[in-house]
Amino acid sequence: MDGFTLSLVGFGLMLLLIFLRMPIGVALFLTGFFGVWIVTGRPNMVMAQMKSLTYETFSSYSLSVVPLFLLMGQFATRSGMSKGLFRAAADWLGHYRGGMAMASVGACAGFGAVCGSSLATASTMGQVALPEMRRYGYSGRLSTGVLAAGGTLGILIPPSVILVIYAILTEQNIAKMFVAALVPGLLAALGYILVVAIYVRIWPDEATSLPRKSYGERLRALAGVWPVVVIFGLVMWGIAGDSNWAQAGQQALFTPTEGAAVGAVLTGLYGALNGGLTLRTFFDCVMETAVTTAMIFMIVFGAQVFNTFLALTQTPQGLADWVTAQGFAPMTVLLMMLALYLVFGCVMDSLSMILLTIPIFFPIIQGLDFGLTPEETAIWFGILALIVVEVGLITPPVGMNLFIISSMARGVPMMETYRGVLPFVLSDMVRVAILVAAPSISLFLVRAVS
């Protein structure tokens, strides 16, 4: 059996193990372990790798940003930021038909700016917004659909754990990835709000409007938003200052890891001052962060072992050479990859998709000519991959956000949630098409500060 065939068999067995409910990190590790054993003919290499790869992977300074951003999200969840964001958005948008649903999107976008996790954004905002929309007569279909979609903004609007992992895998600047994600993230939020506006025109009975608030009340409601603005602005400004592409004379403030630490400390202090973060909830936040970090690191470690197996079979380079030899148009290859992400998104989580596919797809993308520099191509592809991975979180039948929101919306059938989220999936498809056709939308902020 040649190397490419062996890698295909290994990939199929790995998917089978995942479908049989084996933890993804363990499935990746076992497939990679025995794959390396078969390729080399003996276990010596993979056993020797165990004593070095574990330390090299988990002692990486770049990966330390992951638990810090996760802790920042945990503190944000317990500190009551979500309620202030939703209240401010509802006061400004609630008087429109469907305004509470629009406010949910805005609050999700704001919370995503200090959270970095889609699942945390969906679950936190679901607790705040679902009861309110139910109280004001919103249909279960619209309520669950908009919150499932809005939750995906947690990984698209920086800081994003998935973007950090992508930047580490492809050796890109984390700050540049964060800056490049800003405009696509805002486009996502605006697209979802537009979907709500169209939806309530077609089905007006599924939403209501609230009495218009005075401008004084609206301005007072913004007082609950200032912590998000301050923390997000400080973290992004500090991270952007620490890069070799900063403007001449700009003083670096801190690295991405230090920025994550600053964000976590400030979010924790805000939670402690407003009473949302007690000693008990602090330890709960630390434990939740530890559990999630362990899960992510296990997947990262398993992916490293699996990628060693792929490298020994020369599958990534072989596929890159084959694609180049076929003479496919670069855009055709890109669209095929994005289509595969959509398929994988129906059955896999976002982190696993990134860790599995980037070592294979990235060399192919880097070998194609899109009229961009290699760095711009890497950043643009990373944003596109992130968006399509995000769509997988709300794509039936296995979108994780759908399960979270459905479990919170008692009395709303799962099929209603599926129907409610489909218009937002269509919005995502339109946004992907726009960003594919116009790479400058993702890149112009990066270029502007270069």
Side-chain angles (χ1 to χ4, degrees), residues 372-385:
L372 305 170
T373 66
E375 183 184 50
E376 288 179 339
T377 300
I379 293 173
W380 175 54
F381 178 67
I383 298 302
L384 290 175

Side-chain angles (χ1 to χ4, degrees), residues 375-442:
E375 183 184 50
E376 288 179 339
T377 300
I379 293 173
W380 175 54
F381 178 67
I383 298 302
L384 290 175
L386 181 72
I387 292 172
V388 183
V389 162
E390 159 214 334
V391 178
L393 292 170
I394 55 173
T395 304
V398 194
M400 291 300 297
N401 278 17
L402 299 178
F403 289 140
I404 287 176
I405 296 299
S406 181
S407 67
M408 300 171 67
R410 303 294 182 185
V412 180
M414 193 67 181
M415 287 305 299
E416 286 294 289
T417 302
Y418 286 164
R419 294 189 184 100
V421 83
L422 288 180
F424 300 97
V425 174
L426 179 60
S427 170
D428 285 331
M429 295 295 98
V430 172
R431 177 162 44 97
V432 169
I434 292 172
L435 294 176
V436 167
S440 58
I441 294 176
S442 301

Side-chain angles (χ1 to χ4, degrees), residues 32-46:
F33 182 92
F34 288 107
V36 172
W37 189 338
I38 292 171
V39 171
T40 60
R42 55 190 183 198
N44 300 36
M45 178 180 176
V46 71

